[in-house]
Amino acid sequence: MINVTIWNEYVHEKIHDEVKAVYPDGLHKAIADGLAGEGFAIRTATLDEPEHGLTDEVLNTTDVLIWWGHMAHDRVSDEITAKVVRRVQQGMGFIVLHSGHFSKPFKALMGTSCDLKWREAGEQEIIWCVNPSHPIAEGIDSKIVLDQEEMYGEFFDIPTPDELVFVSNFEGGEVFRSGCTFRRGSGKIFYFRPGHETYPTYYKPEVLKVISNAVKWAYPAHNAQPVFGKSEPVRPFKEILV
């Protein structure tokens, strides 16, 4: 069974009525409910819990961490950020949703600003599958249509993705690399663009299917960890005859 931790800063839902109306129990609860039938062992964690809900015990027993954040990136401690980054490098899967592109762990793993263009105008987004043979695209049609979403536009300041699975276009004409994979150390990372807090994106079955597929793809292989440092020869050196 895949152990999934869904992390959400859980701030908007407490202070903005329009967000609470869409996600009354938090985005993390909506995502958890949407993934409930997938056979995962799911738990949630939020910013205001001790250690942001990401204690050593939680992180060390998490196979895949899903992350949503927006207005409180700066409140995530550097210590927890470092622990998340280390666990990803050790093999934990990491799925970063929407405005999580500006989260401390994602920026640390990317090594770039992760900045982009944006506009909140309730525009239609069409998410096009550009890699239909990829496991994350399994069961997804050629496109996912979202009637209302926040616009993200290029240039998206990330390293060149290992694989590009989805590309979005918006009513205003912008395009965006909306489904990107990366590998850092032994860990696999998937960034998935949709999910603004005022729209019911995380109730859409196709969006939840992508996230479920990404969890399965990012599940660590549990291979032996690399051994570094001074190494003895595999077999004795042959004597050199003079």
Side-chain angles (χ1 to χ4, degrees):
M1 182 175 290
I2 302 176
N3 296 310
V4 178
T5 300
I6 302 172
W7 191 90
N8 173 28
E9 64 183 27
Y10 197 29
V11 175
H12 284 286
E13 302 94 316
K14 295 178 180 179
I15 63 176
H16 295 148
D17 289 341
E18 62 178 338
V19 180
K20 187 175 183 179
V22 180
Y23 298 106
D25 298 312
L27 284 92
H28 54 296
K29 182 64 162 55
I31 297 170
D33 288 347
L35 299 180
E38 298 295 325
F40 306 141
I42 298 174
R43 61 189 159 198
T44 62
T46 58
L47 179 70
D48 289 338
E49 295 176 35
E51 299 182 66
H52 309 324
L54 299 175
T55 63
D56 288 344
E57 179 182 358
V58 168
L59 284 174
N60 290 337
T61 56
T62 296
D63 296 313
V64 180
L65 175 63
I66 299 173
W67 190 284
W68 195 100
H70 185 200
M71 65 183 300
H73 297 311
D74 60 339
R75 290 172 54 189
V76 175
S77 76
D78 292 340
E79 180 183 4
I80 296 300
T81 296
K83 289 182 178 182
V84 170
V85 169
R86 184 164 57 251
R87 279 289 293 126
V88 173
Q89 292 170 337
Q90 291 171 345
M92 181 181 71
F94 191 37
I95 299 173
V96 179
L97 301 175
H98 191 58
S99 45
H101 70 90
F102 257 162
S103 66
K104 285 183 177 181
F106 187 66
K107 291 174 71 174
L109 287 160
M110 295 298 103
T112 58
S113 75
C114 299
D115 213 341
L116 45 78
K117 297 181 178 69
W118 63 274
R119 178 177 61 248
E120 187 182 346
E123 300 172 58
Q124 182 191 74
E125 175 182 6
I126 303 178
I127 305 169
W128 296 94
C129 179
V130 296
N131 194 347
S133 65
H134 197 282
I136 294 177
E138 183 178 351
I140 302 299
D141 291 335
S142 61
K143 63 182 180 298
I144 300 171
V145 179
L146 302 176
D147 293 333
Q148 289 187 310
E149 254 296 349
E150 179 181 19
M151 185 282 292
Y152 280 5
E154 296 287 349
F155 175 63
F156 186 17
D157 187 19
I158 54 173
T160 300
D162 295 336
E163 301 161 302
L164 187 59
V165 186
F166 299 105
V167 172
S168 291
N169 73 279
F170 297 86
E171 287 186 56
E174 292 86 359
V175 297
F176 193 78
R177 291 168 289 168
S178 54
C180 308
T181 74
F182 307 89
R183 293 175 186 263
R184 294 294 183 270
S186 298
K188 291 183 280 189
I189 302 167
F190 179 59
Y191 173 76
F192 192 39
R193 197 219 73 84
H196 187 67
E197 65 274 4
T198 59
Y199 305 121
T201 301
Y202 294 124
Y203 297 112
K204 194 167 182 68
E206 298 95 321
V207 171
L208 293 165
K209 176 65 172 174
V210 170
I211 296 172
S212 174
N213 288 346
V215 167
K216 296 170 186 175
W217 169 82
Y219 180 67
H222 297 295
N223 295 339
Q225 290 293 313
V227 177
F228 301 105
K230 184 179 179 181
S231 178
E232 297 299 324
V234 176
R235 57 179 179 270
F237 292 116
K238 295 180 180 179
E239 293 184 6
I240 301 176
L241 299 178
V242 179

